[in-house]
C-alpha cells in the first residue's frame, strides 16, 4: 500500500501511538485507549463519500455482525503472537518517532495479520485514514474497533460522534443506546439521546427517554418543561397543561409556577383564567416582578393600552424591578415609540424619570446614550449623561471609553488625560486607556509623560493582549526615543514592535529611514522599505524613503526612478523630499535640475546650512551622520 503521509501526521499520531505503547505494556487485549478524542473527532470534515455509499454500509454491517459471532468463538491469542504484536507496536512507534509514517502504518497492517480481531489495531489505523482524508476507511476501522470491543466506551463514543457529524442519526442512536447500556449512571448520554430522538421527530422515544432521565436524576422543572414541549409539538394541549399543573401543585409556595400557569393560559387564549392566576400571585406578593411583567402582556393582549402604559411606567421607576428587566421594558418602549412615529420627547421624559431614581449601575445611562445616538443628539448632551454614568460606575470601561473617544475627537487632550489616569487604576488591564493617555501627552509634546504611559501599558501586556495596540505602543516609543537621540533604544523598540506585528507599515518606513539617515544596516533598511511600497505603491513618503536608501547604497539611477514616483504622487512635496530629489539628480549628473530642487526646498522653509552650501557650490555635499 503506497501512502504519501503528510508531515502533520507526525505530532498527532505520535501521542496516539504512545498511548498504544502503554496499552501494550499493560496488555493488548484489555487496552482501553482513551487518548485520541481530538483525532477521531476530526472525521467530520469529509464524510460525504461514505454517506453516499449506503449499500456499502449495509454490506459492512452484515459482515461485522458475522465477524462478532466469529470473534466470540475465537481462540485466545497465543503468548508468542501476543509478544509479536507488542514488538511490532513498539517498532511502529520507533518508526513514527523517526518520521517514517509509511513504514509505521505498514507495521500496523502487519499487526492486523497477527490478530485480525484486535480492536485497538483498527482504532490506531483510523488515525492514519483520517489524515489521508480516506473517511470511508476511517469509519470502517472505527466501526470494527467498536464492534470488536463493544464494552470500550472510548471506541463507541467516538463512533457515535462521527455518526452524528455525518447526520446518520439512526446509527448514532444505536451507538448511544449501547453506550448507555454499558453505563447506566451516564445521564449525559440520555440527554444526547433526547436530542437525537428530537432530531428524528420520534416523540414516543423522547418521552421514554425523559422517563429514564427522571428515574436517574429525579423530577425537575427542566424535565417538566421538556415534556411540555413534546406535548406542544404533538398538539396535546391537555397533557401539556396537566404537566404544568402537576409542577405547580408540587410547589404550592412558589409563585413563579402560578405565573407560568397564567402565561400558558394567556398564550392559549384563556385570558380570564390567566388573569386569575396573576391576581393570586399579586395578592401574595404585590411586587412580584414576573407577575407584573405578565400583567403587562395581559393588558396588551386584551387591548387595555392605558393600563399597560401606567403599569409599565410604574415598573420603570420601581426600586423592586431589576435593571435587566427595566432595560427590557425600555427597549420595548423605544420600539413601540419608533413604530408610532418616533416622538423622542416622550421617551426622553421617561428616561429622565427613571434616572431621577438612584441607579445601582450604568445600564440605564448607557441605554439612554444609545437612544440619544439613534436620535442624533449633540455629543455634549451625551457627554453629560456619560459623566453621570461614570459617577455611578467609575470602573465601567465602556462608558469611560465613550467619553475618552468623544473628548479625543474634540481635541480636549487635558480631558482625555483626566479620564485615562484614574482608569489605569480602575481597569489596569485595559490597554486602550494607556494608549489614549500616551497619545494625549504626545499631542501636548510631553514626551517624558508619553513614555511613562507607554511603559505602564507595556507592563500589563500578556499573551492575550491586542497585537495591534502593543505594536503601536512600541512604535510610538521608538519614534520618541529617536527624537530624544536614543537611537539604540529606539531601534530596540522598533524591533519589539515588528515582533508583535511584522507588517506595521509605518514602523517599517520609519525604522528604515532612520537607519538610512545613519548609514547603518542599509540592506535591512532596504528590505523593510520595500515591504512598505509593495503594501502602498503610491505612498509618496514610502517611495521617498526607498529612494533615499537606494541613494545611500550609491544606486543612483534606481533612486531616481523612485524619487520621481514620490514627486508624482504628492501634490505638495515636503522640503525634505524635494531636497532628496536634488541630491539624487546631482549624483545622476543633472546638476541644473538638482539646483532647482534644492532651491525649491529652501523656498519651502528648509534653512539647512548644508542645503545653502549645495546651492552655492552647485554640488552634492554629504551631511554628517546623526
Amino acid at each position: 500500500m503506497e501512502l504519501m503521509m503528510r508531515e502533520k501526521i507526525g505530532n498527532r499520531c505520535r501521542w496516539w501511538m504512545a498511548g498504544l505503547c502503554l496499552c501494550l505494556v499493560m496488555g493488548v487485549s484489555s487496552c482501553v485507549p482513551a487518548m485520541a478524542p481530538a483525532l477521531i473527532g476530526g472525521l467530520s470534515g469529509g464524510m460525504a463519500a461514505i454517506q453516499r455509499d449506503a449499500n456499502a454500509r449495509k454490506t459492512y454491517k452484515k459482515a461485522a455482525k458475522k465477524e462478532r459471532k466469529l470473534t466470540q468463538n475465537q481462540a485466545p491469542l497465543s503468548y508468542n503472537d501476543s509478544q509479536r504484536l507488542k514488538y511490532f507496536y513498539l517498532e511502529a512507534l520507533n518508526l513514527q518517532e523517526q518520521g517514517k509514517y509509511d513504514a509505521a502504518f505498514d507495521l500496523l497492517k502487519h499487526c492486523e495479520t497477527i490478530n485480525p480481531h484486535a480492536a485497538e489495531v483498527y482504532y490506531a489505523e483510523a488515525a492514519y485514514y483520517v489524515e489521508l482524508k480516506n473517511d470511508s476507511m476511517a469509519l470502517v476501522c472505527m466501526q470494527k474497533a467498536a464492534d470488536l470491543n463493544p464494552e470500550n466506551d472510548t471506541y463507541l463514543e467516538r463512533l457515535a460522534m462521527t455518526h452524528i457529524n455525518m447526520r446518520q442519526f439512526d446509527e448514532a442512536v444505536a451507538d448511544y443506546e449501547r453506550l448507555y447500556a454499558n453505563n447506566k449512571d451516564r445521564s449525559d448520554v440520555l440527554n444526547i439521546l433526547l436530542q437525537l430522538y428530537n432530531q428524528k421527530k420520534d416523540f414516543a422515544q423522547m418521552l421514554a427517554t425523559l422517563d429514564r432521565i427522571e428515574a436517574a436524576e429525579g423530577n425537575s422543572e427542566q424535565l417538566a418543561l421538556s415534556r411540555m414541549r413534546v406535548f406542544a409539538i404533538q398538539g396535546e394541549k391537555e397533557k401539556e397543561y396537566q404537566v404544568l399543573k402537576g409542577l405547580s401543585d408540587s410547589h404550592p409556595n412558589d409563585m413563579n409556577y402560578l405565573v407560568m400557569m397564567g402565561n400558558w393560559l394567556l398564550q392559549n387564549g384563556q385570558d380570564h383564567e390567566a388573569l386569575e392566576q396573576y391576581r393570586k400571585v399579586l395578592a401574595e406578593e404585590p411586587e412580584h416582578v414576573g407577575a407584573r411583567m405578565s400583567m403587562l402582556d395581559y393588558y396588551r393582549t386584551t387591548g387595555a393600552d392605558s393600563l399597560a402604559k401606567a403599569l409599565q411606567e410604574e415598573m420603570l421607576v420601581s426600586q423592586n424591578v431589576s435593571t435587566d428587566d427595566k432595560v427590557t421594558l425600555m427597549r420595548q418602549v423605544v420600539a413601540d415609540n419608533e413604530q408610532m412615529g418616533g416622538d423622542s420627547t416622550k421617551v426622553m421624559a421617561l428616561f429622565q424619570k427613571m434616572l431621577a431614581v438612584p441607579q445601582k449601575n450604568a445600564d440605564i445611562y448607557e441605554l439612554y446614550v444609545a437612544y440619544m445616538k439613534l436620535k442624533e443628539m449633540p455629543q455634549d448632551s451625551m457627554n453629560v449623561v456619560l459623566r453621570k454614568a461614570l459617577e455611578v460606575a467609575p470602573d465601567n470601561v465602556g462608558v469611560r471609553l465613550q467619553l475618552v473617544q468623544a473628548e479625543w475627537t474634540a481635541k480636549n487632550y487635558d480631558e482625555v488625560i483626566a479620564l485615562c489616569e484614574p482608569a489605569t487604576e480602575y481597569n489596569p488591564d485595559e490597554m486602550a486607556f494607556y494608549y489614549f493617555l500616551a497619545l494625549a501627552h504626545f499631542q501636548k509634546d510631553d514626551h517624558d509623560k508619553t513614555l511613562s504611559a507607554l511603559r505602564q501599558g507595556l507592563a500589563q501586556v500578556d499573551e492575550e493582549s491586542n497585537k495591534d495596540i502593543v505594536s503601536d505602543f512600541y512604535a510610538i516609543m521608538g519614534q520618541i526615543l529617536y527624537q530624544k537621540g536614543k537611537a539604540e533604544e529606539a531601534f530596540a523598540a522598533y524591533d519589539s514592535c515588528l515582533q508583535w506585528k511584522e507588517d506595521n507599515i509605518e514602523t517599517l518606513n520609519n525604522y528604515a529611514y532612520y537607519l538610512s539617515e545613519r548609514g547603518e544596516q542599509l540592506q535591512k533598511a532596504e528590505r523593510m522599505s520595500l515591504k512598505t511600497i509593495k503594501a502602498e505603491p503610491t505612498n509618496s513618503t514610502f517611495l521617498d524613503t526607498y529612494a533615499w536608501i537606494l541613494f545611500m547604497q550609491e544606486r543612483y539611477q534606481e533612486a531616481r526612478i523612485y524619487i520621481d514616483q514620490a514627486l508624482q504622487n504628492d501634490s505638495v512635496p515636503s522640503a525634505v523630499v524635494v531636497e532628496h530629489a536634488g541630491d539624487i539628480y546631482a549624483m545622476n549628473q543633472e546638476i541644473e535640475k538638482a539646483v532647482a530642487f534644492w532651491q525649491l526646498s529652501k523656498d519651502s522653509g528648509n534653512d539647512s546650512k548644508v542645503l545653502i552650501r549645495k546651492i552655492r557650490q552647485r554640488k552634492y555635499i554629504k551631511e554628517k551622520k546623526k
Side-chain angles (χ1 to χ4, degrees):
M1 177 180 181
E2 293 184 4
L3 299 174
M4 296 300 292
M5 298 290 184
R6 290 166 293 176
E7 186 64 27
K8 67 175 183 178
I9 294 179
N11 292 335
R12 297 176 75 180
C13 288
R14 189 171 291 114
W15 55 261
W16 178 289
M17 293 295 290
L20 292 172
C21 177
L22 178 61
C23 293
L24 288 165
V25 174
M26 299 174 64
V28 173
S29 61
S30 63
C31 174
V32 184
M35 68 291 294
L39 191 51
I40 291 296
L43 277 171
S44 60
M47 294 297 189
I50 187 64
Q51 193 169 5
R52 288 193 297 268
D53 193 0
N55 292 330
R57 292 201 305 272
K58 290 179 181 177
T59 301
Y60 172 72
K61 286 181 180 178
K62 292 179 180 178
K65 185 176 181 181
K66 182 177 179 181
E67 187 171 28
R68 282 199 298 274
K69 291 181 179 178
L70 292 173
T71 304
Q72 291 172 358
N73 299 320
Q74 178 194 8
L77 200 64
S78 69
Y79 175 79
N80 183 52
D81 285 343
S82 177
Q83 291 301 110
R84 287 173 60 218
L85 188 60
K86 291 181 181 180
Y87 170 79
F88 286 117
Y89 262 119
L90 290 172
E91 187 59 27
L93 178 59
N94 287 333
L95 291 170
Q96 174 84 41
E97 290 296 326
Q98 297 171 37
K100 299 177 180 178
Y101 307 119
D102 290 359
F105 182 82
D106 287 341
L107 282 187
L108 283 177
K109 299 302 289 183
H110 182 60
C111 290
E112 200 180 314
T113 65
I114 297 173
N115 183 9
H117 302 290
E120 49 278 357
V121 171
Y122 298 108
Y123 189 67
E125 287 176 358
Y128 282 84
Y129 286 122
V130 167
E131 290 301 332
L132 291 170
K133 301 200 180 301
N134 190 338
D135 298 324
S136 59
M137 282 303 300
L139 181 60
V140 167
C141 287
M142 290 175 61
Q143 185 78 58
K144 279 188 177 182
D147 287 343
L148 291 168
N149 191 351
E151 295 182 357
N152 187 309
D153 295 345
T154 300
Y155 299 167
L156 196 52
E157 193 160 9
R158 298 303 163 200
L159 179 62
M161 291 169 60
T162 302
H163 280 137
I164 289 176
N165 289 334
M166 295 172 61
R167 302 189 67 78
Q168 296 177 9
F169 298 122
D170 289 338
E171 290 87 343
V173 164
D175 296 335
Y176 277 112
E177 288 289 5
R178 286 169 60 191
L179 185 60
Y180 183 68
N182 293 344
N183 302 271
K184 295 290 187 181
D185 59 337
R186 288 195 59 179
S187 57
D188 63 310
V189 174
L190 289 176
N191 284 309
I192 295 173
L193 279 167
L194 185 64
Q195 296 175 49
L196 287 170
Y197 286 128
N198 180 49
Q199 185 68 37
K200 287 163 53 66
K201 307 301 181 188
D202 191 338
F203 303 121
Q205 283 296 336
M206 286 183 72
L207 292 171
T209 304
L210 287 169
D211 290 339
R212 286 193 283 174
I213 295 173
E214 182 178 351
E217 299 181 348
N219 199 4
S220 67
E221 178 183 326
Q222 187 59 45
L223 283 177
L225 294 175
S226 296
R227 281 196 180 91
M228 288 178 64
R229 281 193 289 271
V230 175
F231 288 136
I233 293 170
Q234 292 179 305
E236 298 278 2
K237 294 293 183 185
E238 182 58 33
K239 289 182 179 179
E240 186 183 357
Y241 175 76
Q242 289 302 324
V243 172
L244 181 55
K245 187 175 185 304
L247 187 62
S248 178
D249 291 345
S250 63
H251 300 81
N253 297 320
D254 192 332
M255 297 294 102
N256 292 320
Y257 292 113
L258 286 179
V259 174
M260 288 172 62
M261 285 284 290
N263 293 342
W264 187 90
L265 291 165
L266 186 63
Q267 290 166 10
N268 286 277
Q270 301 181 48
D271 302 345
H272 296 300
E273 294 83 349
L275 180 59
E276 183 180 345
Q277 297 295 321
Y278 300 147
R279 283 175 173 169
K280 284 181 183 178
V281 176
L282 293 172
E284 290 288 330
E285 299 180 22
E287 296 295 327
H288 193 287
V289 174
R292 299 179 82 190
M293 295 282 281
S294 295
M295 283 295 291
L296 269 178
D297 291 335
Y298 171 80
Y299 287 143
R300 289 174 180 141
T301 301
T302 57
D305 295 336
S306 59
L307 292 174
K309 181 180 178 182
L311 179 57
Q312 185 173 257
E313 292 189 10
E314 180 186 337
M315 293 180 70
L316 285 172
V317 298
S318 173
Q319 292 279 36
N320 296 316
V321 178
S322 72
T323 302
D324 288 343
D325 288 332
K326 288 181 180 180
V327 168
T328 301
L329 283 170
M330 201 59 200
R331 282 177 176 160
Q332 185 62 51
V333 169
V334 172
D336 292 343
N337 181 269
E338 290 297 305
Q339 194 171 17
M340 295 178 66
D343 184 354
S344 62
T345 58
K346 295 179 180 179
V347 178
M348 296 282 285
L350 197 48
F351 267 118
Q352 288 163 12
K353 280 185 182 179
M354 293 171 68
L355 294 173
V357 178
Q359 300 294 306
K360 296 178 181 178
N361 55 45
D363 292 358
I364 304 298
Y365 288 105
E366 290 186 89
L367 186 62
Y368 190 14
V369 171
Y371 180 73
M372 295 172 81
K373 286 181 179 178
L374 175 68
K375 292 300 180 179
E376 298 181 350
M377 295 184 178
Q379 184 63 51
D380 288 345
S381 299
M382 288 188 274
N383 288 353
V384 171
V385 179
L386 287 169
R387 288 191 179 279
K388 288 181 178 178
L390 210 56
E391 291 175 8
V392 174
D395 59 344
N396 188 304
V397 174
V399 168
R400 193 177 289 271
L401 277 177
Q402 286 186 70
L403 267 173
V404 168
Q405 290 168 348
E407 298 294 359
W408 177 265
T409 302
K411 298 183 179 181
N412 296 329
Y413 302 124
D414 287 332
E415 288 297 324
V416 171
I417 292 169
L419 285 163
C420 288
E421 283 182 339
T424 61
E425 296 183 14
Y426 284 118
N427 310 101
D429 56 345
E430 181 53 63
M431 299 292 290
F433 292 123
Y434 300 101
Y435 186 71
F436 279 107
L437 180 61
L439 289 179
H441 283 307
F442 186 76
Q443 291 294 330
K444 297 185 67 179
D445 293 324
D446 193 334
H447 291 172
D448 289 335
K449 287 186 177 179
T450 302
L451 287 174
S452 176
L454 291 170
R455 286 169 176 146
Q456 274 185 278
L458 291 171
Q460 310 300 323
V461 169
D462 57 30
E463 294 179 355
E464 302 299 320
S465 298
N466 184 299
K467 292 183 177 181
D468 290 340
I469 291 180
V470 178
S471 178
D472 285 346
F473 272 42
Y474 281 114
I476 299 169
M477 182 179 289
Q479 184 177 349
I480 293 172
L481 288 169
Y482 193 81
Q483 290 175 3
K484 291 171 78 67
K486 299 180 179 180
E488 296 305 317
E489 292 181 48
F491 295 158
Y494 281 147
D495 286 331
S496 296
C497 168
L498 296 174
Q499 284 178 2
W500 281 89
K501 186 182 180 184
E502 62 182 11
D503 61 345
N504 190 315
I505 303 301
E506 295 295 337
T507 292
L508 286 169
N509 177 74
N510 292 345
Y511 195 178
Y513 184 70
Y514 292 151
L515 285 173
S516 71
E517 276 194 323
R518 297 169 64 83
E520 299 175 1
Q521 303 182 63
L522 294 178
Q523 290 184 343
K524 176 180 178 179
E526 181 187 352
R527 289 194 300 271
M528 291 190 293
S529 183
L530 184 59
K531 289 181 181 179
T532 69
I533 60 173
K534 284 183 177 180
E536 297 183 20
T538 60
N539 187 306
S540 61
T541 300
F542 297 169
L543 289 165
D544 169 64
T545 298
Y546 192 63
W548 189 246
I549 293 168
L550 294 174
F551 176 86
M552 293 297 293
Q553 293 176 307
E554 299 182 359
R555 293 157 61 183
Y556 303 125
Q557 291 182 346
E558 292 176 77
R560 176 179 169 175
I561 293 171
Y562 287 98
I563 199 65
D564 283 348
Q565 291 182 40
L567 294 169
Q568 290 167 9
N569 285 284
D570 193 346
S571 57
V572 185
S574 70
V576 173
V577 173
V578 176
E579 183 180 2
H580 285 169
D583 294 346
I584 292 169
Y585 270 86
M587 298 308 290
N588 276 285
Q589 309 305 317
E590 296 188 50
I591 198 63
E592 294 300 330
K593 289 184 178 180
V595 172
F597 279 124
W598 289 332
Q599 186 61 51
L600 180 59
S601 177
K602 181 176 179 296
D603 294 343
S604 298
N606 188 346
D607 58 357
S608 164
K609 293 180 179 178
V610 174
L611 175 63
I612 295 172
R613 288 174 58 201
K614 291 177 187 176
I615 296 171
R616 287 176 179 171
Q617 298 180 26
R618 298 174 59 82
K619 69 176 183 179
Y620 169 69
I621 299 172
K622 186 175 182 180
E623 295 189 49
K624 294 180 180 179
K625 287 185 182 181
K626 293 186 179 181

